[in-house]
Amino acid sequence: MKEYITAILFLALAATATLLSLQTLTQKAIATPTGLIVTSPTTSLVKTETRNNTHIYTLQIHVNPLSSLQAEKIACIYGAKITALNTSAGKATLETNPDSACIFFTIDNPSIREAEATVLVTAETLLEQKGEPPILLIGLLAGIAAASYLTQTESGRDKLFKAISIPVGYYVARHEDVLRSKKRVEILEYLKKEPGASMRRISRDTGISFGEVQWHLSILERLGYVRRARIGKWTVYYPTGSPAEKWLENFISDELGAKITPQTAATLAARLEPYLSTGTIPTSLIREAISK
């Protein structure tokens, strides 16, 4: 019986590897879904046009009387490269990141009446390499699930199924796209503003259910958009590349209710550098920094 089960496991792993290789060889360039998210209450998206891979967005900005906007972040775009920014008034600037580009707007309104300005955004869809949906792989998984019941114990069946589903789960996650879910984009934007937040805090502040936050974070982490760190009873998340001193300061303030200076945060980040790669940070070092 053991030899029979071993043979099934070996063949299943070999078939999985073969299918993954075939999927890789048949990859082709496809357009990444493009999305523009308005990030300021002063701004509204009034028109969208799409011509092949070119997207034109018309943004309208409202400025209160006798007031101004100074480098106000009005919108961010994902899955596309902004090629042109045209304004009817004021000044628009662009800040680009690996996964997005954000538009900042500056304008003065000395009038006693509300002023309006229009920003015309032209963007080109990014192309990326993606394989075909793993239909054969999913079929293989179903076959393996049935074969796993040939083991003698429930724990044995569970172990066999999990062992085979790991590469399948990884492959499917690679096909997920951040822009397929507005909630996923919302969570990513929240973490850019509030790095070092726990799942419960993200759920509470965004209004997205805890289960959904957990699922979306797992996708964002697997795709490399966010990272996590375990600090005692807390698991916190922050955007990949976010300075450690920034998200540590936020964590200490939001979760522990304490305050540290930027200099202390920088010193703490330097001390924790050996631990950051492991994803587990000793709470004793955090408490020590707070007590100073």
Side-chain angles (χ1 to χ4, degrees), residues 15 75 108 115 118 125 129 133 137 163 191 195 219 233 237 261 292:
D108 291 316
T118 301
T125 299
Q129 296 292 329
L137 200 56
L191 284 176
I219 296 298
K233 67 178 182 179
Y237 293 82
T261 65
K292 290 184 176 179

Side-chain angles (χ1 to χ4, degrees), residues 17-269:
T18 301
L19 284 172
L20 287 174
S21 299
L22 289 173
Q23 294 283 349
T24 301
L25 291 173
T26 57
Q27 286 181 336
K28 63 181 182 180
I30 66 172
T32 301
T34 301
L36 183 139
I37 307 295
V38 173
T39 59
S40 171
T42 66
T43 306
S44 56
L45 177 61
V46 296
K47 187 177 181 182
T48 301
E49 296 179 64
T50 300
R51 304 167 187 169
N52 296 323
N53 288 330
T54 300
H55 308 272
I56 302 173
Y57 303 95
T58 303
L59 299 172
Q60 192 170 68
I61 299 93
H62 300 271
V63 189
N64 292 328
L66 303 174
S67 65
S68 65
L69 299 177
Q70 299 297 324
E72 174 89 4
K73 183 163 74 169
I74 59 173
C76 292
I77 191 168
Y78 296 83
K81 178 182 179 181
I82 295 179
T83 57
L85 280 176
N86 297 294
T87 64
S88 62
K91 179 182 179 182
T93 57
L94 189 64
E95 179 183 284
T96 58
N97 299 296
D99 61 318
S100 64
C102 294
I103 303 165
F104 294 80
F105 192 70
T106 298
I107 190 172
D108 291 316
N109 180 20
S111 171
I112 59 173
R113 296 184 178 181
E114 183 182 88
E116 291 185 355
T118 301
V119 177
L120 198 65
V121 183
T122 304
E124 297 289 337
T125 299
L126 298 176
L127 297 178
E128 63 178 14
Q129 296 292 329
K130 277 191 177 180
E132 295 295 330
I135 298 174
L136 295 177
L137 200 56
I138 293 172
L140 174 65
L141 179 59
I144 292 168
S148 66
Y149 277 87
L150 293 173
T151 59
Q152 293 180 327
T153 65
E154 184 176 352
S155 63
R157 290 194 296 266
D158 185 61
K159 288 178 182 178
L160 176 59
F161 186 80
K162 286 182 178 179
I164 305 302
S165 65
I166 287 173
V168 177
Y170 173 75
Y171 186 75
V172 172
R174 285 173 50 210
H175 280 75
E176 287 285 341
D177 192 288
V178 174
L179 294 174
R180 291 182 184 175
S181 169
K182 289 184 178 179
K183 291 182 179 179
R184 200 172 301 154
V185 172
E186 185 178 352
I187 291 170
L188 183 59
E189 283 301 311
Y190 175 84
L191 284 176
K192 287 180 179 180
K193 296 177 182 177
E194 299 291 339
S198 64
M199 281 193 286
R200 293 192 183 281
R201 178 169 290 276
I202 297 169
S203 176
R204 186 190 66 193
D205 291 352
T206 62
I208 301 172
S209 70
F210 184 85
E212 288 182 291
V213 169
Q214 189 175 32
W215 164 250
H216 291 309
L217 282 174
S218 70
I219 296 298
L220 290 169
E221 185 180 7
R222 188 165 292 178
L223 293 175
Y225 286 94
V226 303
R227 299 188 66 181
R228 63 175 165 171
R230 181 75 179 176
I231 308 175
K233 67 178 182 179
W234 295 275
T235 299
V236 299
Y237 293 82
Y238 57 93
T240 300
S242 176
E245 56 267 26
K246 173 62 176 175
W247 65 262
L248 282 168
E249 187 176 354
N250 274 0
F251 163 74
I252 291 171
S253 173
D254 296 340
E255 301 293 347
L256 303 183
K259 296 290 184 181
I260 60 173
T261 65
Q263 183 178 0
T264 301
T267 302
L268 176 61

